[in-house]
Amino acid sequence: MEQDALQYHFFKVFSELESRIAQRVVDALSKQSNALVGVPIPSEKLLKDVELCEALQISTAHFYKVKRRHKDFPVYDIDGAKRYKLSEVEQFIKSIKQ
C-alpha cells in the first residue's frame, strides 16, 4: 500500500512538472515569435496562373471565374505579369468558404 501511495505522489509530481515545463516552452516560443514580428521571412515562390491551378487542382476556367467574382483576390502585379502565392490563395479560399 505504501508503494502505491509513493507511486501516486511521484506521478502527481512529474505530471505537474511536465505541465509547468510545457507552459514555459509555450511562453518562450510565443515571446520569440512576437520578437520576430517585422523580421523578413524568406518569401515563397510566386506562381503563374497555370502553376497555381495545378497546385490547387482546378481548371484555369474555374480559377478565372473565382478571380472575377472576388475583387480582393490575392494577386501580385509585376509590371503587368500576374503572380500568386499559394499560401495566400489557400487562405483566401478558406476565408470565402466560411
Side-chain angles (χ1 to χ4, degrees):
M1 184 71 173
E2 188 175 311
Q3 187 163 351
D4 288 342
L6 186 60
Q7 283 180 339
Y8 170 78
H9 289 293
F10 271 130
F11 178 76
K12 293 287 279 183
V13 167
F14 284 114
S15 294
E16 181 64 25
L17 181 61
E18 178 184 32
S19 175
R20 288 182 184 189
I21 290 171
Q23 187 59 47
R24 284 187 181 180
V25 168
V26 168
D27 290 343
L29 288 175
S30 78
K31 285 179 187 176
Q32 202 172 36
S33 70
N34 288 339
L36 292 177
V37 171
V39 174
I41 300 171
S43 60
E44 66 182 279
K45 182 179 176 186
L46 292 174
L47 303 176
K48 296 177 184 177
D49 52 359
V50 175
E51 295 170 328
L52 180 66
C53 291
E54 287 175 9
L56 295 174
Q57 298 179 352
I58 61 172
S59 69
T60 53
H62 183 77
F63 167 71
Y64 290 122
K65 198 183 308 182
V66 171
K67 191 175 164 193
R68 244 189 329 270
R69 191 176 309 142
H70 299 280
K71 300 298 181 197
D72 57 341
F73 195 88
V75 60
Y76 292 87
D77 189 340
I78 304 169
D79 199 26
K82 308 292 189 219
R83 298 294 184 263
Y84 311 90
K85 285 189 178 180
L86 180 60
S87 62
E88 290 179 3
V89 173
E90 287 174 332
Q91 188 64 35
F92 178 78
I93 291 169
K94 286 178 187 176
S95 73
I96 61 175
K97 281 186 176 181
Q98 295 176 355

